[in-house]
């Protein structure tokens, strides 16, 4: 998805990332090897594939910040992690991410990502969105929805609605059509519905 209007992101998206990453880490810590094959709301991904995607995305986005303005997101093979190593793998990836996006110069730079040319704050904001949404996916898979912080989804939802319009979806835009959510649904369900998840 390309756009001539850079997405608006919080002035300090790294603060949002820290909270989102802490929540994700706490959920991954609950996952035993026996649960890694369980289904998730993410199509054909099981819990193992979902966590692997989260770790991979965190590392690739960290690499952008490490390279600085002008960097292009690389397509790399996901890391190989043993069934008992996901908690450590995510912790290391999150530490690397936080270190990569410390400087305002990096946050103000422009990067090439699959959806276009995006300022660093938008890159970090998108990673916050990914981390928050996949926390819901993982929590649904392992029965830990009650551990989610609604404030994180509430903060991410306006950003998601701005960077990911309702149309077009599919193809180069890897999200399904917007789903209906009940008017009284919590922020995670509304975010999931906007991103095309089946929330029933």
């Amino acid at each position: 998805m390309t756009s001539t209007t850079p997405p608006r992101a919080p002035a300090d998206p790294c603060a949002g990332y820290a909270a989102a990453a802490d929540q994700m880490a706490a959920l991954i810590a609950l996952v035993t090897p026996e649960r890694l094959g369980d289904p998730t709301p993410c199509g054909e991904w099981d819990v193992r594939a979902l966590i692997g995607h989260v770790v991979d995305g965190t590392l690739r986005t960290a690499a952008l910040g490490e390279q600085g303005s002008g960097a292009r997101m690389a397509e790399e093979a996901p890391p190989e992690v043993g069934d008992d190593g996901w908690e450590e793998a995510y912790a290391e990836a999150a530490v690397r991410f936080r270190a990569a996006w410390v400087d305002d110069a990096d946050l103000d730079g422009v990067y090439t990502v699959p959806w276009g040319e995006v300022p660093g704050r938008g890159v970090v904001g998108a990673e916050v969105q990914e981390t928050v949404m996949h926390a819901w996916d993982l929590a649904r898979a392992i029965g830990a929805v009650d551990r989610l912080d609604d404030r994180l989804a509430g903060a991410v939802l306006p950003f998601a609605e701005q960077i990911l319009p309702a149309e077009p979806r599919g193809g180069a835009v890897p999200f399904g059509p917007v789903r209906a959510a009940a008017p009284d649904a919590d922020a995670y369900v509304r975010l999931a519905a906007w991103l095309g998840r089946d929330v029933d």
Side-chain angles (χ1 to χ4, degrees), residues 136 150 153-154 157 179-193 199:
W136 181 83
D150 276 356
L157 181 57
R179 304 285 189 116
D184 60 347
D186 66 34
Y188 278 95
V189 170
R190 286 183 283 127
L191 177 62
V199 298

Side-chain angles (χ1 to χ4, degrees), residues 1 3 5-9 129 156-165 194:
M1 176 174 58
S3 172
T5 303
R8 294 184 297 272
Q129 173 191 296
V156 163
L157 181 57
F159 177 74
E161 291 172 337
Q162 193 252 321
I163 67 167
L164 186 66
W194 185 260

Side-chain angles (χ1 to χ4, degrees), residues 13-14 17 52-69 71-76 79 90 92-102 106-107 111-115 118-131 134:
C14 295
Y17 177 77
H53 170 75
V54 170
V55 172
D56 177 50
T58 303
L59 290 172
R60 290 196 297 134
T61 311
L64 281 180
E66 291 167 348
Q67 295 171 66
S69 184
R72 177 183 296 271
M73 181 173 282
E75 290 292 337
E76 300 178 358
Y90 182 69
E92 292 176 355
V95 167
R96 180 176 164 187
F97 183 99
R98 295 185 202 194
W101 293 101
V102 168
D106 294 324
L107 291 169
Y111 302 82
T112 301
V113 293
W115 62 93
V118 180
R121 294 180 194 280
V123 173
V124 175
E127 186 61 24
V128 174
Q129 173 191 296
E130 279 279 289
T131 305
H134 286 317

Side-chain angles (χ1 to χ4, degrees), residues 16-43:
Y17 177 77
D22 287 347
Q23 174 172 263
M24 177 62 75
L27 290 169
I28 293 174
L30 298 175
V31 179
T32 62
E34 294 76 21
R35 301 300 302 270
L36 290 169
D38 289 356
T40 74
C42 294

